[in-house]
Amino acid sequence: MSEKIAFIADSCADLPKEIQEKENVFVLPVLVSCEGKEYRDGMDISAETVYEHQSRGEVPTTSLPTGAMVEEVFTSVLKKGYRKAVLFTMSSAISGTWNLCRLLCEECEQLECLVFDSKMASLAEGALLVEIMEEVEAGSLDWTGIPARLEELQKNTFPYFGIDTLEFLQKNGRIGKATAFAGNLLNIMPILSFDENGVISPVEKVRGRKKRMNRLKEQALEHIGTHQNYRLYFANGGCPEMVEDLKQEILGELGKEVPVLETELGCALAAHLGKNLVGVCVQLL
Protein backbone atom coordinates (compact mmCIF):
# COMPACT_ATOMS: atom_id res chain seq x y z
CA MET A 1 0.00 0.00 0.00
CA SER A 2 1.38 3.41 -0.99
CA GLU A 3 2.04 6.16 1.55
CA LYS A 4 -0.22 9.23 1.73
CA ILE A 5 2.10 11.89 0.32
CA ALA A 6 1.19 15.17 -1.37
CA PHE A 7 3.14 16.53 -4.34
CA ILE A 8 3.50 20.27 -4.79
CA ALA A 9 5.18 22.17 -7.62
CA ASP A 10 5.48 25.82 -8.50
CA SER A 11 3.72 26.72 -11.73
CA CYS A 12 7.00 26.77 -13.65
CA ALA A 13 6.91 22.95 -13.61
CA ASP A 14 4.37 23.23 -16.46
CA LEU A 15 2.56 20.09 -15.33
CA PRO A 16 0.18 18.56 -17.88
CA LYS A 17 -3.48 19.13 -17.05
CA GLU A 18 -4.12 15.47 -16.33
CA ILE A 19 -1.39 15.59 -13.65
CA GLN A 20 -2.61 18.88 -12.13
CA GLU A 21 -6.08 17.40 -11.74
CA LYS A 22 -4.90 14.52 -9.55
CA GLU A 23 -6.13 14.62 -5.94
CA ASN A 24 -2.61 14.53 -4.46
CA VAL A 25 -1.07 17.25 -6.70
CA PHE A 26 -1.01 20.95 -5.79
CA VAL A 27 0.33 23.89 -7.82
CA LEU A 28 1.87 27.05 -6.34
CA PRO A 29 1.48 29.88 -8.88
CA VAL A 30 4.31 32.27 -9.67
CA LEU A 31 3.32 35.91 -10.18
CA VAL A 32 3.36 37.51 -13.64
CA SER A 33 3.16 41.28 -14.09
CA CYS A 34 1.71 42.94 -17.20
CA GLU A 35 1.12 46.69 -17.50
CA GLY A 36 1.50 47.16 -13.77
CA LYS A 37 -0.97 44.43 -12.78
CA GLU A 38 -0.04 41.15 -11.08
CA TYR A 39 -1.57 37.84 -12.10
CA ARG A 40 -1.22 34.29 -10.85
CA ASP A 41 0.47 32.12 -13.45
CA GLY A 42 -2.05 29.72 -14.99
CA MET A 43 -4.94 31.03 -12.90
CA ASP A 44 -5.55 34.69 -13.78
CA ILE A 45 -3.58 34.84 -17.02
CA SER A 46 -2.73 32.58 -19.95
CA ALA A 47 0.49 32.20 -21.91
CA GLU A 48 -1.36 33.43 -25.00
CA THR A 49 -2.07 36.70 -23.18
CA VAL A 50 1.63 37.03 -22.41
CA TYR A 51 2.47 36.52 -26.09
CA GLU A 52 -0.08 39.18 -27.05
CA HIS A 53 1.56 41.68 -24.69
CA GLN A 54 4.98 40.83 -26.13
CA SER A 55 3.72 41.31 -29.69
CA ARG A 56 2.77 44.87 -28.71
CA GLY A 57 6.28 45.57 -27.48
CA GLU A 58 5.52 45.13 -23.79
CA VAL A 59 7.80 43.16 -21.45
CA PRO A 60 5.89 41.06 -18.88
CA THR A 61 7.93 40.29 -15.76
CA THR A 62 7.74 37.67 -13.03
CA SER A 63 8.12 37.54 -9.26
CA LEU A 64 7.96 35.03 -6.42
CA PRO A 65 4.73 33.76 -4.94
CA THR A 66 3.89 35.60 -1.74
CA GLY A 67 4.26 33.95 1.65
CA ALA A 68 0.47 33.98 1.95
CA MET A 69 0.17 32.06 -1.32
CA VAL A 70 2.57 29.39 -0.07
CA GLU A 71 0.68 29.10 3.21
CA GLU A 72 -2.60 28.80 1.29
CA VAL A 73 -1.25 25.77 -0.57
CA PHE A 74 -0.04 24.22 2.70
CA THR A 75 -3.52 24.72 4.16
CA SER A 76 -5.09 22.94 1.17
CA VAL A 77 -2.66 20.05 1.59
CA LEU A 78 -3.44 19.70 5.30
CA LYS A 79 -7.22 19.94 4.75
CA LYS A 80 -7.00 16.92 2.45
CA GLY A 81 -5.39 14.93 5.23
CA TYR A 82 -1.77 14.97 4.09
CA ARG A 83 0.99 15.27 6.67
CA LYS A 84 3.91 14.67 4.30
CA ALA A 85 4.66 16.52 1.07
CA VAL A 86 7.36 16.83 -1.56
CA LEU A 87 7.61 20.36 -2.96
CA PHE A 88 9.39 20.92 -6.27
CA THR A 89 10.68 24.33 -7.32
CA MET A 90 12.36 25.74 -10.38
CA SER A 91 16.11 26.16 -10.18
CA SER A 92 17.27 28.28 -7.24
CA ALA A 93 19.83 29.81 -9.62
CA ILE A 94 17.05 31.66 -11.45
CA SER A 95 14.44 32.13 -8.73
CA GLY A 96 14.12 32.59 -4.99
CA THR A 97 11.07 30.31 -4.80
CA TRP A 98 13.06 27.40 -3.39
CA ASN A 99 14.45 29.46 -0.50
CA LEU A 100 11.06 31.03 0.27
CA CYS A 101 9.35 27.63 0.40
CA ARG A 102 12.18 26.10 2.42
CA LEU A 103 11.87 28.77 5.11
CA LEU A 104 8.08 28.56 5.28
CA CYS A 105 8.17 24.76 5.44
CA GLU A 106 10.42 24.97 8.48
CA GLU A 107 7.73 27.06 10.20
CA CYS A 108 4.87 24.68 9.33
CA GLU A 109 5.00 22.15 12.15
CA GLN A 110 1.93 20.21 10.96
CA LEU A 111 3.50 19.27 7.62
CA GLU A 112 6.70 17.29 7.06
CA CYS A 113 7.88 18.76 3.80
CA LEU A 114 10.83 17.98 1.56
CA VAL A 115 11.59 21.06 -0.57
CA PHE A 116 13.57 20.00 -3.62
CA ASP A 117 15.53 22.37 -5.85
CA SER A 118 15.05 20.80 -9.27
CA LYS A 119 17.91 22.90 -10.76
CA MET A 120 15.70 22.96 -13.84
CA ALA A 121 12.27 24.23 -14.85
CA SER A 122 9.30 23.55 -17.12
CA LEU A 123 8.92 19.99 -18.39
CA ALA A 124 12.13 18.83 -16.66
CA GLU A 125 10.94 20.00 -13.22
CA GLY A 126 7.56 18.43 -13.90
CA ALA A 127 9.19 15.17 -15.00
CA LEU A 128 10.73 14.77 -11.55
CA LEU A 129 7.37 15.17 -9.82
CA VAL A 130 5.57 12.77 -12.17
CA GLU A 131 8.08 9.94 -11.79
CA ILE A 132 8.41 10.23 -8.00
CA MET A 133 4.62 10.38 -7.64
CA GLU A 134 4.10 7.30 -9.79
CA GLU A 135 6.74 5.29 -7.92
CA VAL A 136 5.16 6.22 -4.59
CA GLU A 137 1.69 5.33 -5.85
CA ALA A 138 2.99 1.98 -7.15
CA GLY A 139 4.41 1.21 -3.69
CA SER A 140 7.97 0.89 -5.01
CA LEU A 141 9.20 4.03 -3.22
CA ASP A 142 8.62 5.17 0.35
CA TRP A 143 9.16 8.49 2.10
CA THR A 144 12.67 7.68 3.32
CA GLY A 145 13.83 6.72 -0.17
CA ILE A 146 12.60 9.84 -1.94
CA PRO A 147 15.67 12.11 -1.44
CA ALA A 148 18.13 9.61 -2.93
CA ARG A 149 15.77 8.74 -5.78
CA LEU A 150 15.32 12.44 -6.58
CA GLU A 151 19.07 12.96 -6.80
CA GLU A 152 19.35 9.99 -9.14
CA LEU A 153 16.49 11.15 -11.37
CA GLN A 154 17.83 14.70 -11.49
CA LYS A 155 21.13 13.44 -12.93
CA ASN A 156 19.25 11.43 -15.56
CA THR A 157 16.81 14.09 -16.76
CA PHE A 158 17.92 15.98 -19.86
CA PRO A 159 15.86 18.94 -21.11
CA TYR A 160 16.45 21.00 -24.26
CA PHE A 161 14.58 24.10 -25.36
CA GLY A 162 14.73 25.70 -28.79
CA ILE A 163 13.55 29.30 -29.04
CA ASP A 164 12.87 31.57 -32.00
CA THR A 165 14.48 34.72 -30.73
CA LEU A 166 16.91 36.03 -28.14
CA GLU A 167 14.86 39.22 -27.76
CA PHE A 168 13.04 38.39 -24.55
CA LEU A 169 16.06 36.86 -22.85
CA GLN A 170 17.80 40.17 -23.50
CA LYS A 171 14.85 42.28 -22.33
CA ASN A 172 14.68 40.27 -19.12
CA GLY A 173 18.40 40.73 -18.51
CA ARG A 174 19.51 37.18 -19.29
CA ILE A 175 21.89 38.08 -22.12
CA GLY A 176 23.56 41.24 -23.42
CA LYS A 177 21.87 43.54 -25.93
CA ALA A 178 24.65 43.16 -28.50
CA THR A 179 24.43 39.38 -28.37
CA ALA A 180 20.66 39.49 -28.85
CA PHE A 181 20.95 41.91 -31.79
CA ALA A 182 23.60 39.80 -33.52
CA GLY A 183 21.66 36.58 -32.94
CA ASN A 184 18.41 37.95 -34.31
CA LEU A 185 20.13 39.58 -37.27
CA LEU A 186 21.79 36.32 -38.30
CA ASN A 187 18.68 34.17 -37.69
CA ILE A 188 20.58 32.29 -35.01
CA MET A 189 18.31 30.20 -32.80
CA PRO A 190 19.81 29.00 -29.52
CA ILE A 191 19.15 25.64 -27.94
CA LEU A 192 19.10 26.02 -24.17
CA SER A 193 19.42 23.68 -21.20
CA PHE A 194 20.50 23.91 -17.56
CA ASP A 195 24.05 23.43 -16.33
CA GLU A 196 25.00 21.54 -13.17
CA ASN A 197 24.32 24.66 -11.08
CA GLY A 198 20.85 25.16 -12.51
CA VAL A 199 21.77 28.13 -14.68
CA ILE A 200 20.07 28.49 -18.07
CA SER A 201 22.84 27.93 -20.60
CA PRO A 202 23.03 27.83 -24.40
CA VAL A 203 24.33 24.41 -25.44
CA GLU A 204 24.28 25.15 -29.14
CA LYS A 205 23.36 27.84 -31.66
CA VAL A 206 21.92 26.90 -35.04
CA ARG A 207 20.81 28.97 -37.97
CA GLY A 208 17.16 28.56 -38.91
CA ARG A 209 14.18 26.68 -37.58
CA LYS A 210 14.75 23.49 -39.59
CA LYS A 211 18.25 22.98 -38.19
CA ARG A 212 17.01 23.76 -34.69
CA MET A 213 14.35 21.08 -34.89
CA ASN A 214 16.81 18.55 -36.27
CA ARG A 215 19.29 19.17 -33.45
CA LEU A 216 16.58 18.83 -30.80
CA LYS A 217 15.72 15.43 -32.26
CA GLU A 218 19.37 14.37 -32.40
CA GLN A 219 20.04 15.43 -28.81
CA ALA A 220 17.06 13.47 -27.52
CA LEU A 221 18.07 10.36 -29.44
CA GLU A 222 21.69 10.65 -28.24
CA HIS A 223 20.55 10.55 -24.60
CA ILE A 224 18.24 7.61 -25.23
CA GLY A 225 20.98 5.62 -26.95
CA THR A 226 20.51 1.96 -26.10
CA HIS A 227 18.46 2.60 -22.94
CA GLN A 228 15.21 0.66 -22.78
CA ASN A 229 13.51 2.33 -19.82
CA TYR A 230 12.83 6.03 -20.28
CA ARG A 231 10.11 8.63 -20.69
CA LEU A 232 9.78 11.51 -23.13
CA TYR A 233 8.30 14.93 -22.37
CA PHE A 234 7.41 17.65 -24.87
CA ALA A 235 6.52 21.29 -24.26
CA ASN A 236 5.22 23.91 -26.64
CA GLY A 237 5.27 27.64 -26.27
CA GLY A 238 2.44 28.59 -28.59
CA CYS A 239 3.51 26.23 -31.38
CA PRO A 240 1.74 22.86 -30.95
CA GLU A 241 2.22 21.89 -34.60
CA MET A 242 6.01 22.19 -34.42
CA VAL A 243 6.13 20.15 -31.23
CA GLU A 244 3.88 17.49 -32.74
CA ASP A 245 6.22 17.25 -35.74
CA LEU A 246 9.22 16.85 -33.44
CA LYS A 247 7.46 14.19 -31.37
CA GLN A 248 6.50 12.18 -34.44
CA GLU A 249 10.03 12.37 -35.85
CA ILE A 250 11.57 11.11 -32.60
CA LEU A 251 9.01 8.34 -32.17
CA GLY A 252 9.50 7.38 -35.82
CA GLU A 253 13.24 6.99 -35.24
CA LEU A 254 12.62 4.90 -32.11
CA GLY A 255 10.13 2.68 -33.91
CA LYS A 256 8.22 1.64 -30.78
CA GLU A 257 5.70 2.86 -28.24
CA VAL A 258 7.24 5.07 -25.56
CA PRO A 259 5.69 6.76 -22.48
CA VAL A 260 5.07 10.37 -23.53
CA LEU A 261 3.74 13.40 -21.68
CA GLU A 262 2.99 16.74 -23.33
CA THR A 263 2.48 20.17 -21.83
CA GLU A 264 2.23 23.87 -22.65
CA LEU A 265 4.74 26.44 -21.50
CA GLY A 266 3.37 28.42 -18.58
CA CYS A 267 3.03 32.19 -18.37
CA ALA A 268 6.10 32.82 -16.23
CA LEU A 269 8.55 31.12 -18.58
CA ALA A 270 6.72 32.51 -21.62
CA ALA A 271 7.52 35.97 -20.28
CA HIS A 272 11.25 35.19 -20.41
CA LEU A 273 11.43 33.07 -23.54
CA GLY A 274 8.76 34.33 -25.91
CA LYS A 275 6.55 32.48 -28.35
CA ASN A 276 7.47 29.44 -30.48
CA LEU A 277 9.45 27.54 -27.87
CA VAL A 278 9.92 23.85 -28.60
CA GLY A 279 11.00 21.70 -25.66
CA VAL A 280 11.97 18.05 -25.40
CA CYS A 281 13.13 16.18 -22.31
CA VAL A 282 14.50 12.67 -21.92
CA GLN A 283 14.20 11.08 -18.49
CA LEU A 284 16.13 7.84 -18.05
CA LEU A 285 14.54 5.57 -15.49
Side-chain angles (χ1 to χ4, degrees):
M1 184 176 177
S2 61
E3 289 185 80
K4 190 173 175 66
I5 299 172
F7 300 91
I8 309 167
D10 63 42
S11 57
C12 286
D14 294 339
L15 294 171
K17 288 182 180 179
E18 64 267 30
I19 301 300
Q20 292 188 40
E21 291 171 355
K22 290 178 71 69
E23 187 270 343
N24 57 346
V25 173
F26 303 80
V27 177
L28 172 65
V30 172
L31 292 172
V32 180
S33 297
C34 293
E35 296 184 312
K37 296 181 180 179
E38 280 194 333
Y39 304 89
R40 293 170 297 175
D41 181 7
M43 297 177 69
D44 308 320
I45 189 171
S46 68
E48 197 56 44
T49 301
V50 171
Y51 300 140
E52 289 172 6
H53 280 277
Q54 291 170 332
S55 70
R56 297 196 294 265
E58 299 165 18
V59 185
T61 59
T62 62
S63 57
L64 303 183
T66 64
M69 291 166 66
V70 178
E71 290 171 359
E72 184 179 345
V73 171
F74 289 169
T75 298
S76 296
V77 170
L78 290 167
K79 281 184 177 179
K80 286 193 175 182
Y82 293 96
R83 295 297 177 265
K84 293 180 180 179
V86 186
L87 195 163
F88 299 78
T89 73
M90 74 188 94
S91 171
S92 62
I94 59 175
S95 169
T97 305
W98 172 79
N99 195 46
L100 170 67
C101 292
R102 180 184 62 83
L103 293 172
L104 291 176
C105 274
E106 289 177 357
E107 297 175 3
C108 186
E109 297 179 356
Q110 295 171 282
L111 186 67
E112 186 177 0
C113 190
L114 168 61
V115 183
F116 188 73
D117 177 3
S118 73
K119 295 189 177 179
M120 295 180 279
S122 190
L123 70 175
E125 178 188 344
L128 297 175
L129 181 149
V130 170
E131 181 58 27
I132 289 294
M133 178 184 65
E134 291 193 355
E135 292 183 17
V136 167
E137 291 180 343
S140 60
L141 182 67
D142 62 17
W143 177 255
T144 59
I146 290 177
R149 182 59 174 144
L150 274 172
E151 296 290 343
E152 180 183 20
L153 278 175
Q154 187 182 56
K155 292 175 183 177
N156 288 289
T157 300
F158 307 98
Y160 294 95
F161 305 89
I163 59 176
D164 258 10
T165 175
L166 295 163
E167 176 186 1
F168 299 106
L169 282 172
Q170 185 268 318
K171 286 182 176 180
N172 282 286
R174 302 295 178 178
I175 58 173
K177 187 174 182 179
T179 302
F181 176 76
N184 292 334
L185 184 67
L186 297 171
N187 195 28
I188 290 175
M189 296 181 175
I191 294 175
L192 311 174
S193 190
F194 294 87
D195 65 18
E196 65 275 9
N197 297 312
V199 176
I200 298 175
S201 303
V203 295
E204 193 169 344
K205 293 180 181 179
V206 295
R207 186 166 295 175
R209 186 173 289 173
K210 185 175 180 180
K211 289 184 178 178
R212 178 189 71 179
M213 298 291 281
N214 190 54
R215 281 303 295 143
L216 287 169
K217 178 184 73 173
E218 291 173 348
Q219 285 162 329
L221 292 173
E222 285 169 10
H223 282 296
I224 292 170
T226 59
H227 291 279
Q228 297 299 311
N229 193 16
Y230 56 88
R231 194 197 306 259
L232 287 171
Y233 292 78
F234 294 91
N236 87 79
C239 55
E241 296 86 1
M242 284 196 289
V243 174
E244 179 64 20
D245 288 344
L246 177 64
K247 182 183 76 172
Q248 294 304 327
E249 285 196 26
I250 292 174
L251 294 178
E253 291 278 353
L254 295 171
K256 64 176 183 179
E257 290 190 12
V258 176
V260 171
L261 279 179
E262 301 175 58
T263 190
E264 296 182 16
L265 194 72
C267 307
L269 292 176
H272 293 286
L273 298 169
K275 195 172 183 178
N276 291 333
L277 174 143
V278 179
V280 59
C281 176
V282 175
Q283 186 181 64
L284 304 179
L285 304 175

